[in-house]
Amino acid sequence: WGSDPGLLVPPLQHPRCSPTLRPLQNLLLLWTLLSCGLGGSAQGPGEWTPWGSWSRCSSSCGRGLSVRSRRCVWFPGEEPCWGDSHEYRLCHLPDCPLGAIPFRDLQCALYNGRPVLGTQKTYQWVPFYGAPNQCDLNCLAEGHAFYHSFGRVLDGTPCSPGTQGLCVAGRCLSAGCDGLLGSDAREDHCGRCGGANESCLLVQRVFRDSGAFAGYWNVTVIPEGARHIRVAHRSRNHLALVGGDGRYVLNGNWAGSPPGTYEAAGTRVVYTRAAGPEEMLSAAGPTSQDLLLQVLLQEPNPGIEFEFWLPRERYGPFQTQAQALGWSLRQQQPREVEPQPPELPAAPATIDCAPDCSAPADPCAPCPDTRGRAHRLLHYCGSDFVFRARVLSRLHQAQETRYEVHVQLIYKNRSPLRALEYVWALGRCPCPRLDLHHEYLLAAHRRISPDGTRDRLVLPRMGYARTWSPAEDSRVRLAARHCPV
């Protein structure tokens, strides 16, 4: 969020220009109205002046807000103008560096060493997220079991970690597609803010060709500019996706891909395979280049449903591409196979599936319960790194498990951390066990091999890996104060 809260325009008082009516002084009245700068459209009994300019962003990095205001000119005895005198919009600056102090932490730290609560005793304060109003500056006294509310947070403070809302005048507001906080404007399927889907068309079809041989078959082109893409089927066949450069994104070259999120054509493609035969692809789009959807046939095709929204001007070229692709004549891949349904070959390293993947039940026994203040202090103080991360993938290799994680917040580090890191754990059933797409607070050690060829982050067995929550965030910050210097 950055360390510079910025300067916001203060709430405006009632306008000073409110003329007093006197009989037979029309010229004076006309001059008074002109001097008030009336020019806005009527919003009620009063008249709004034009909007002022937007203020600078409330943050020096990351997300913040900007504000503009206008004045209401109205006569005594009449009602004020209808509408708001202030508008707030999101502003986006370059991401804050890893380790930057969050905006709310800075506000709590302003009261460090200052007497509060009517005594001369002073405290060190950190944010507390367990209070009812998330837009109050609730701070926890470190080393004590109480928190204090110092009033409202400054405008532009995130409502809570990991959320999109920002606090404005004590309220948590989210932005519409127009960038205005508190707006209800939403994008339509065509990507237009506040639109009604009038500029695009829905392509919705079912591919039913059964194929004369087992192998890869073309299903459809997903053109550049496609949005809200969805592909689904129920069979032992596998969907495959080819990028604009001719390389496979998913399930290519007779090798299976794990469920997860993949980058392709400027969008994120979410690939899922349920416990049954159901398989699905979805992407928000828009795609920056054409994608080719294929299917690896292993049994008769029961039907592949696909749909996406396409700009009207691209629908004609899409029809031409589809005919050139040859829906009625499928071309097999260079590798031929026998008509019997082949199984996807096992990869050298087995990829751990998400909970909805078609795989046998988890053979790993539950991990022992390691919760408690002493366990938290032991691993926080004895670890090289403590950070918040989201698990992106999990890979079993020999007698190790490798997690790919996205580092989101660093509490402690003895050397720099990158945004994407690998965290290693011993065994194919490590404890603690990390679930895909969940966020954790992790305490890890740095391990360098004797020959210096491997530099790893290692999660020790029975180590510290807690599901992230605002309460756990407050606990780990409190633990930092109890480590020996």
Side-chain angles (χ1 to χ4, degrees):
W1 332 111
S3 57
D4 183 4
L7 298 175
L8 299 181
V9 178
L12 298 177
Q13 305 297 324
H14 290 306
R16 298 178 181 177
C17 185
S18 53
T20 303
L21 294 178
R22 295 179 181 179
L24 304 179
Q25 290 185 332
N26 293 336
L27 290 177
L28 178 60
L29 172 61
L30 177 61
W31 175 86
T32 303
L33 292 176
L34 291 174
S35 67
C36 289
L38 294 180
S41 59
Q43 301 295 322
E47 291 277 350
W48 287 112
T49 62
W51 285 106
S53 58
W54 290 101
S55 70
R56 67 186 180 95
C57 193
S58 65
S59 177
S60 58
C61 61
R63 296 187 313 132
L65 63 82
S66 182
V67 63
R68 67 177 181 176
S69 62
R70 58 182 178 176
R71 297 174 182 267
C72 176
V73 181
W74 54 289
F75 299 108
E78 293 185 344
E79 294 182 7
C81 305
W82 298 342
D84 296 324
S85 60
H86 291 73
E87 274 190 343
Y88 302 86
R89 71 178 181 184
L90 282 179
C91 46
H92 296 274
L93 297 174
D95 291 341
C96 297
L98 287 175
I101 303 176
F103 195 11
R104 191 182 291 259
D105 293 58
L106 288 174
Q107 295 174 61
C108 283
L110 292 176
Y111 296 93
N112 289 347
R114 295 173 54 182
V116 296
L117 307 176
T119 68
Q120 293 303 310
K121 192 171 183 180
T122 62
Y123 304 92
Q124 300 294 309
W125 302 96
V126 295
F128 177 71
Y129 296 102
N133 190 348
Q134 55 190 348
C135 287
D136 284 344
L137 184 58
N138 303 304
C139 303
L140 178 71
E142 291 189 323
H144 301 271
F146 69 90
Y147 73 93
H148 183 68
S149 179
F150 293 98
R152 293 177 177 175
V153 297
L154 294 177
D155 286 349
T157 303
C159 301
S160 62
T163 62
Q164 295 299 311
L166 296 179
C167 291
V168 176
R171 296 183 300 155
C172 182
L173 300 179
S174 297
C177 60
D178 53 5
L180 297 180
L181 289 165
S183 168
D184 294 328
R186 297 291 180 266
E187 280 191 355
D188 65 2
H189 288 99
C190 312
R192 293 195 174 184
C193 187
N197 302 327
E198 70 278 358
S199 63
C200 59
L201 296 172
L202 174 62
V203 177
Q204 191 174 42
R205 297 177 181 173
V206 179
F207 172 74
R208 298 190 183 279
D209 288 11
S210 58
F213 49 83
Y216 286 92
W217 291 68
N218 296 328
V219 176
T220 184
V221 171
I222 300 176
E224 176 185 350
R227 294 175 179 266
H228 303 284
I229 304 161
R230 181 183 177 276
V231 185
H233 74 105
R234 293 179 61 86
S235 71
R236 291 176 59 249
N237 302 324
H238 289 266
L239 298 173
L241 196 63
V242 183
D245 57 359
R247 298 181 179 180
Y248 278 98
V249 179
L250 283 170
N251 294 332
N253 303 315
W254 302 86
S257 300
T261 302
Y262 296 81
E263 298 287 340
T267 188
R268 292 185 175 183
V269 179
V270 180
Y271 171 55
T272 59
R273 187 162 186 97
E278 186 173 0
E279 189 179 36
M280 182 181 298
L281 294 179
S282 62
T287 52
S288 59
Q289 56 183 306
D290 293 351
L291 293 171
L292 175 61
L293 178 67
Q294 295 183 331
V295 59
L296 175 56
L297 288 179
Q298 303 185 93
E299 64 182 24
N301 173 30
I304 299 172
E305 300 176 358
F306 64 88
E307 64 179 46
F308 48 83
W309 290 80
L310 201 59
R312 287 181 177 272
E313 64 272 15
R314 295 188 183 275
Y315 185 74
F318 162 67
Q319 291 283 68
T320 303
Q321 284 178 299
Q323 293 172 3
L325 185 65
W327 281 1
S328 59
L329 180 61
R330 305 293 162 181
Q331 299 297 324
Q332 66 187 92
Q333 295 294 307
R335 174 177 176 177
E336 298 185 6
V337 296
E338 295 297 323
Q340 289 82 10
E343 295 291 338
L344 289 176
T350 60
I351 301 175
D352 203 357
C353 295
D356 59 347
C357 178
S358 57
D362 188 356
C364 298
C367 294
D369 190 355
T370 56
R371 291 175 295 180
R373 180 172 179 269
H375 183 266
R376 184 184 306 108
L377 283 173
L378 173 67
H379 286 281
Y380 186 97
C381 299
S383 298
D384 299 319
F385 303 92
V386 180
F387 53 95
R388 172 186 170 190
R390 181 180 180 86
V391 179
L392 304 180
S393 67
R394 181 171 59 204
L395 180 67
H396 295 310
Q397 291 183 336
Q399 295 303 313
E400 295 178 308
T401 299
R402 188 193 74 185
Y403 299 97
E404 183 182 15
V405 301
H406 178 208
V407 178
Q408 299 181 339
L409 181 63
I410 298 174
Y411 299 87
K412 174 184 178 182
N413 62 312
R414 295 186 177 177
S415 59
L417 284 177
R418 297 168 297 183
L420 293 178
E421 290 280 2
Y422 287 130
V423 177
W424 298 80
L426 292 177
R428 297 177 62 85
C429 294
C431 284
R433 182 179 175 87
L434 308 184
D435 293 326
L436 292 176
H437 313 304
H438 287 223
E439 291 185 8
Y440 293 89
L441 279 172
L442 301 175
H445 296 274
R446 185 181 185 186
R447 294 288 182 263
I448 302 176
S449 61
D451 58 359
T453 58
R454 290 191 302 180
D455 186 351
R456 289 179 168 182
L457 295 182
V458 176
L459 184 64
R461 182 165 179 79
M462 310 303 296
Y464 178 81
R466 306 285 177 82
T467 301
W468 186 91
S469 68
E472 193 64 22
D473 176 272
S474 298
R475 295 188 191 106
V476 78
R477 291 177 186 274
L478 187 59
R481 293 290 178 177
H482 295 275
C483 294
V485 180

